[in-house]
Amino acid sequence: MSASQSAVRSRAEAVKVSRTFDWLIIFTLFFVVLGGYHIHYMLTGGDWDFWTDWKDRRLWVTVAPIVSITFPAAVQSMLWWRYRLPFGAVLCILGLLLGEWVNRYLNFWGWTYFPVNFCFPSNLMPGAIVLDVVLMLSGSMTVTAVLGGMAWGLLFYPGNWPIIAPLHVPVEYNGMMMTLADLQGYHYVRTGTPEYIRMVEKGTLRTFGKDVAPVSAFFSAFVSILIYFLWHFFGKWFNGTSFTQSA
Amino acid sequence: MAATTESVKADAAEAPLLNKRNMFLGAALYVVFYGWVRWYEGVYGWSAGLDSFAPEFETYWMNFLYIEFVLEIITASILWGYLWKSRDRKVMSITPREELRRHMTHWTWLVMYGIAIYYGASYFTEQDGTWHQTIVRDTDFTPSHIIEFYLSYPIYIITGGACFLYAKTRLPTYQQGLHLQYMVAVLGPFMILPNVGLNEWGHTFWFMEELFVAPLHYGFVFFGWAALGVMGVVNTEVAAIAKLLKKDLA
């Protein structure tokens, strides 16, 4: 190839080609990240995300933020640190939520007939916006990990509260006290997932009642900070452009 | 004047930098095909897919499995074989414009990979969750597995392999060796398929109910991370395209 030759005929064509590549890259990055992120999230926190009766005050609040901060940290290490684009976390969450909502509607409802108000996904968008904004304003990976990671864990429960609160209303049913979400679980039987494997409200901390969710959120925030650091460096490795030795 | 006329004629005859028609037809192929697959699941999942010992299960699901195996092997052989056999043996001497055109075609392949990964890793994998949390499995080859593991995964493997082969055989950017992150982005998700062996062995050995976050499934998670290798591919492509366009955009 000759360095003196030009790949395009005019500046206008160069601009057009550049924009076309932008769209091709965004589309591909969005869907490949969606696929990787979704399979990661559904297999590390999925059960708490699938069903309202798993969305408790203790394990859902703890697990979901910890396992979901991974891909946003990695994608930020590319979009911000290489291209100064401040939307790595939001891109990931938009992808994840698209994948989840399509599935919950077309498959959970469309194939196995669970109503959408029993199997809607968790809302991760507030934490994602804060994570991106902290990175954009601070320009610091450490500040983003500590403040953004902490916000990621702490905002999860309040961000979902308006959606889940009506289903945490207590009801008495056949002489037993439970939540509406529990009742949904008993009525919409999942034969392959019997009640004895449901992991909710475990441990003695719940004896303290109202303190369970904030304490769980705070623990989740702490681990989210550590996971952010780890996945930032994972992301940096995946950003590499190295070649193995030519044979 | 004559030279100008010739130049204009050459431009008109030249293939477009990005063949949008091919790209939309390719995308439509995946979407329409998977739409049909989803319709098939809806009709024959409940009516013929609950009891693997029933004759209708053999008719509608096991035959589907055998047919898809054959078609996947044929498709991979023809597609990968064609890409390799028709490789450019003088790839380092192509013109910058031809190189740009090939990058566009490469991105058409990558867009297809994005669609194929979405259907495999997102759509059909979470769908498998709701099927098995609802229906008790009595075989490894359940209706959702026949679609997820043995159809949607091979399709994204075939597509990813085609992307890699196209880049390796036609683009100067990828001639200095094997691009590590590109291999991770293609081979990592590929490894999800062999990991099905562990998954099925564990399900038959330990339990029949479905806890989606069970450690038995973590192999899928590990190899799913490899999709992030696409970031290295994007970075390499951005550098290559910037080199081609830099002086015209300045």
Side-chain angles (χ1 to χ4, degrees):
Chain A
M1 148 186 138
S2 166
S4 60
Q5 282 183 290
S6 186
V8 285
R9 304 267 152 76
S10 63
R11 188 174 187 282
E13 191 183 26
V15 171
K16 192 180 164 199
V17 166
S18 172
R19 294 291 172 271
T20 304
F21 270 118
D22 287 346
W23 284 112
L24 294 174
I25 288 169
I26 287 171
F27 182 92
T28 305
L29 189 67
F30 182 81
F31 280 98
V32 175
V33 166
L34 187 171
Y37 191 21
H38 196 179
I39 199 170
H40 159 90
Y41 185 62
M42 75 176 80
L43 293 171
T44 52
D47 297 281
W48 288 280
D49 197 87
F50 294 162
W51 316 106
T52 54
D53 64 334
W54 279 71
K55 290 185 165 81
D56 68 333
R57 299 168 302 167
R58 184 162 171 78
L59 283 165
W60 175 50
V61 186
T62 308
V63 173
I66 290 172
V67 299
S68 62
I69 198 169
T70 49
F71 274 60
V75 173
Q76 278 190 340
S77 79
M78 174 205 190
L79 289 183
W80 176 258
W81 294 102
R82 283 200 176 238
Y83 305 110
R84 284 292 182 264
L85 294 171
F87 53 77
V90 166
L91 180 100
C92 289
I93 297 305
L94 281 176
L96 181 64
L97 287 178
L98 176 71
E100 288 181 325
W101 272 105
V102 168
N103 234 292
R104 304 304 161 84
Y105 190 78
L106 293 181
N107 294 323
F108 280 65
W109 163 239
W111 200 25
T112 47
Y113 311 116
F114 295 108
V116 174
N117 87 330
F118 180 45
C119 59
F120 56 85
S122 312
N123 176 22
L124 293 156
M125 194 50 82
I129 292 170
V130 171
L131 203 64
D132 278 337
V133 168
V134 170
L135 180 59
M136 185 176 65
L137 294 180
S138 70
S140 159
M141 186 269 284
T142 309
V143 171
T144 308
V146 175
L147 291 184
M150 185 175 287
W152 181 273
L154 291 178
L155 285 174
F156 179 76
Y157 199 64
N160 282 278
W161 178 245
I163 311 164
I164 201 72
L167 300 171
H168 280 185
V169 170
V171 289
E172 190 190 316
Y173 189 69
N174 289 340
M176 287 175 66
M177 179 83 128
M178 61 187 76
T179 66
L180 267 178
D182 291 328
L183 197 57
Q184 285 183 305
Y186 298 141
H187 277 286
Y188 292 101
V189 175
R190 289 145 294 177
T191 316
T193 308
E195 171 62 22
Y196 60 80
I197 62 170
R198 186 163 71 119
M199 284 182 266
V200 291
E201 303 283 351
K202 299 266 186 189
T204 53
L205 187 66
R206 71 193 186 97
T207 312
F208 300 118
K210 63 184 172 55
D211 295 332
V212 174
V215 169
S216 300
F218 206 63
F219 171 58
S220 182
F222 163 62
V223 183
S224 294
I225 293 169
L226 301 178
I227 298 288
Y228 185 94
F229 276 117
L230 189 66
W231 275 75
H232 174 83
F233 291 108
F234 276 177
K236 279 184 81 167
W237 186 85
F238 280 112
N239 269 301
T241 54
S242 51
F243 284 81
T244 59
Q245 285 288 358
S246 188
Chain B
M1 179 64 192
T4 311
T5 311
E6 285 304 307
S7 166
V8 169
K9 276 183 185 167
D11 276 0
E14 187 193 55
L17 282 174
L18 173 66
N19 191 328
K20 288 182 184 165
R21 184 176 150 272
N22 281 358
M23 192 170 71
F24 286 115
L25 279 177
L29 185 66
Y30 286 89
V31 174
V32 170
F33 174 68
Y34 279 132
W36 173 78
V37 168
R38 176 63 186 81
W39 168 84
Y40 190 94
E41 286 180 318
V43 174
Y44 297 109
W46 288 100
S47 65
L50 303 183
D51 178 3
S52 68
F53 295 92
E56 62 268 25
F57 192 93
E58 184 72 23
T59 304
Y60 289 102
W61 288 106
M62 293 313 289
N63 285 333
F64 195 106
L65 179 72
Y66 306 141
I67 291 167
E68 69 190 14
F69 276 156
V70 172
L71 290 180
E72 284 154 11
I73 291 167
I74 291 172
T75 306
S77 305
I78 292 174
L79 183 60
W80 292 351
Y82 168 77
L83 285 168
W84 181 252
K85 284 292 285 181
S86 62
R87 66 191 180 276
D88 187 347
R89 290 159 202 265
K90 293 177 181 171
V91 67
M92 295 309 286
S93 51
I94 60 174
T95 64
R97 192 161 180 85
E98 177 59 19
E99 188 180 347
L100 187 62
R101 182 176 292 111
R102 290 185 188 185
H103 274 292
M104 288 281 199
T105 308
H106 179 222
W107 272 96
T108 303
W109 275 109
L110 287 168
V111 164
M112 300 309 127
Y113 190 48
I115 296 171
I117 280 271
Y118 161 72
Y119 275 107
S122 172
Y123 188 85
F124 287 112
T125 304
E126 198 176 84
Q127 181 200 64
D128 179 70
T130 189
W131 182 256
H132 284 134
Q133 296 202 326
T134 309
I135 310 296
V136 175
R137 62 178 82 205
D138 67 344
T139 171
D140 295 327
F141 300 107
T142 59
S144 67
H145 280 184
I146 286 170
I147 301 303
E148 179 204 7
F149 291 154
Y150 308 110
L151 181 70
S152 72
Y153 290 4
I155 284 176
Y156 78 61
I157 289 167
I158 293 168
T159 312
C163 294
F164 188 81
L165 270 176
Y166 184 91
K168 186 64 192 162
T169 55
R170 284 157 174 83
L171 285 169
T173 313
Y174 297 93
Q175 296 310 307
Q176 48 185 304
L178 294 170
H179 190 288
L180 189 58
Q181 277 70 22
Y182 208 147
M183 283 200 297
V184 167
V186 173
L187 288 180
F190 160 77
M191 284 301 292
I192 287 178
L193 187 59
N195 185 69
V196 168
L198 165 68
N199 185 67
E200 295 313 299
W201 184 83
H203 273 291
T204 51
F205 192 73
W206 284 308
F207 50 79
M208 290 175 72
E209 73 272 271
E210 188 75 19
L211 179 68
F212 229 43
V213 297
L216 179 63
H217 293 156
Y218 290 175
F220 296 121
V221 176
F222 178 77
F223 292 118
W225 296 348
L228 284 171
V230 75
M231 298 194 300
V233 179
V234 168
N235 293 332
T236 304
E237 284 288 311
V238 167
I241 293 157
K243 198 171 157 190
L244 284 169
L245 299 178
K246 201 171 180 179
K247 70 177 174 4
D248 297 285
L249 282 172

